[in-house]
């Protein structure tokens, strides 16, 4: 089971929306957390991210992920922001990116360098403490004319670092009906982990994929959500 915190997850989504148009190289594990083998050709989702601060708001950003081709061994996913498209050829068996291209929709893509992902993860900040409470419930949300049954996960956290105290509240909706699901290794053995969150009842299953996430901290609010889905995606980038 994936063990990313909800705060780091939304940071990754927002950074992806902002930076994808400028990407010149990609890591081979860019899609390793996605169950690409479960995707069907033509499935697509559109995402919107909005950041708000007291007295101001940042223009929303939109991105689209689309499974444009599937065969016995590979999956091709196009990820686009406006007319900028990045296409990934991904191995179904291990979810590794083999090739990637970038370009404008309707034009020939330029092949990118695919690099091995760094082995080590981020180093936790020295002297930081994090604790909080969480609860899980069921909730139905709608977008694109379709209802999704969701696992709703609400977390209140307090992080203490360098004499500062940062409070945050994050609400995440997971749905098994979302096509770009998290990959769960069926053979993985549960590993003991120290959870800084005290849960009401059992912890979250986090099955499926995130269809909406809202984080509030220090007076600011960030929202990332799916706003539309479909099954008619076609390739928009021309490949050699």
């Amino acid at each position: 089971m994936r063990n990313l915190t909800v705060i780091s997850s939304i940071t990754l989504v927002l950074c992806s929306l902002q930076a994808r148009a400028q990407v010149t190289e990609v890591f081979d594990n860019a899609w390793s957390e996605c169950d690409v083998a479960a995707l069907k050709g033509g499935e697509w989702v559109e995402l919107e991210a909005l950041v708000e601060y007291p007295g101001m708001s940042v223009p929303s950003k939109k991105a689209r992920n689309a499974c444009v081709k599937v065969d016995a061994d590979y999956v091709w996913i196009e990820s686009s922001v406006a007319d900028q498209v990045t296409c990934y050829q991904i191995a179904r068996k291990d979810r590794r990116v083999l090739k990637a291209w970038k370009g404008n929709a309707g034009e020939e893509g330029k092949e990118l360098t695919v690099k091995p992902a760094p082995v080590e993860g981020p180093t936790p900040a020295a002297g930081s403490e994090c604790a909080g409470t969480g609860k899980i419930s069921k909730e139905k949300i709608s977008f694109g004319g379709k209802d999704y049954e969701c696992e709703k996960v609400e977390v209140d956290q307090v992080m203490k670092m360098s004499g500062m105290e940062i409070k945050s509240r994050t609400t995440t909706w997971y749905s098994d009906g979302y096509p770009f699901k998290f990959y769960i290794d069926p053979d993985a053995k549960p590993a003991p982990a120290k959870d800084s969150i005290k849960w009401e009842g059992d912890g979250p299953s986090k099955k499926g994929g995130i269809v909406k996430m809202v984080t509030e901290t220090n007076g600011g609010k960030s929202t990332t959500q799916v706003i539309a889905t479909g099954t008619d995606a076609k390739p928009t980038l021309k490949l050699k």
Side-chain angles (χ1 to χ4, degrees):
M1 183 69 67
R2 50 182 284 121
N3 193 33
L4 290 176
T5 65
V6 288
I7 293 178
S8 66
S9 296
I10 197 167
T11 301
L12 290 172
V13 172
L14 291 171
C15 289
S16 175
L17 291 177
Q18 293 175 316
R20 190 160 292 162
Q22 287 77 41
V23 70
T24 58
E25 56 187 25
V26 298
F27 288 125
D28 63 356
N29 69 341
W31 287 89
S32 63
E33 291 187 348
C34 179
D35 190 359
V36 296
L39 286 167
K40 298 179 178 63
E43 290 185 314
W44 61 267
V45 299
E46 186 175 6
L47 304 159
E48 182 179 52
L50 176 65
V51 180
E52 302 169 275
Y53 297 100
M56 66 173 290
S57 64
V58 179
S60 64
K61 295 179 173 61
K62 293 181 180 180
R64 188 176 190 263
N65 292 326
C67 179
V68 296
K69 183 181 176 182
V70 173
D71 66 19
D73 299 312
Y74 308 108
V75 172
W76 284 260
I77 294 176
E78 284 191 352
S79 188
S80 57
V81 176
D83 288 332
Q84 284 287 311
V85 182
T86 305
C87 181
Y88 304 84
Q89 182 188 10
I90 308 162
R92 289 166 58 93
K93 65 178 181 179
D94 60 7
R95 308 174 312 286
R96 292 288 172 178
V97 176
L98 302 179
K99 291 185 177 182
W101 302 261
K102 184 187 75 171
N104 293 321
E107 299 179 359
E108 185 175 288
K110 179 181 179 181
E111 189 164 354
L112 304 174
T113 300
V114 178
K115 298 175 59 176
V119 176
E120 297 182 0
T123 303
S128 64
E129 297 179 20
C130 187
T133 59
K135 66 178 181 178
I136 299 93
S137 59
K138 300 293 183 182
E139 185 172 292
K140 183 184 295 184
I141 62 175
S142 302
F143 52 85
K146 185 176 179 180
D147 293 333
Y148 289 81
E149 297 288 347
C150 298
E151 177 183 58
K152 182 180 179 182
V153 181
E154 299 173 87
V155 175
D156 290 288
Q157 284 183 303
V158 178
M159 177 178 287
K160 297 180 181 179
M161 181 175 59
S162 302
M164 296 186 300
E165 185 175 273
I166 303 174
K167 296 181 179 181
S168 66
R169 179 176 179 81
T170 303
T171 306
T172 311
W173 290 260
Y174 296 85
S175 175
D176 207 28
Y178 183 62
F180 288 81
K181 299 178 177 63
F182 293 132
Y183 173 77
I184 299 176
D185 186 351
D187 299 320
K189 296 180 180 179
K194 183 179 180 181
D195 196 341
S196 61
I197 304 300
K198 183 178 180 180
W199 296 98
E200 292 183 13
D202 296 331
S205 68
K206 299 183 181 179
K207 290 182 178 179
I210 296 176
V211 296
K212 185 176 180 179
M213 179 183 288
V214 179
T215 299
E216 299 171 88
T217 182
N218 293 346
K221 180 180 179 181
S222 60
T223 303
T224 300
Q225 60 186 344
V226 177
I227 56 175
T229 65
T231 58
D232 58 350
K234 303 292 183 183
T236 63
L237 200 62
K238 297 178 181 178
L239 306 181
K240 292 183 179 179

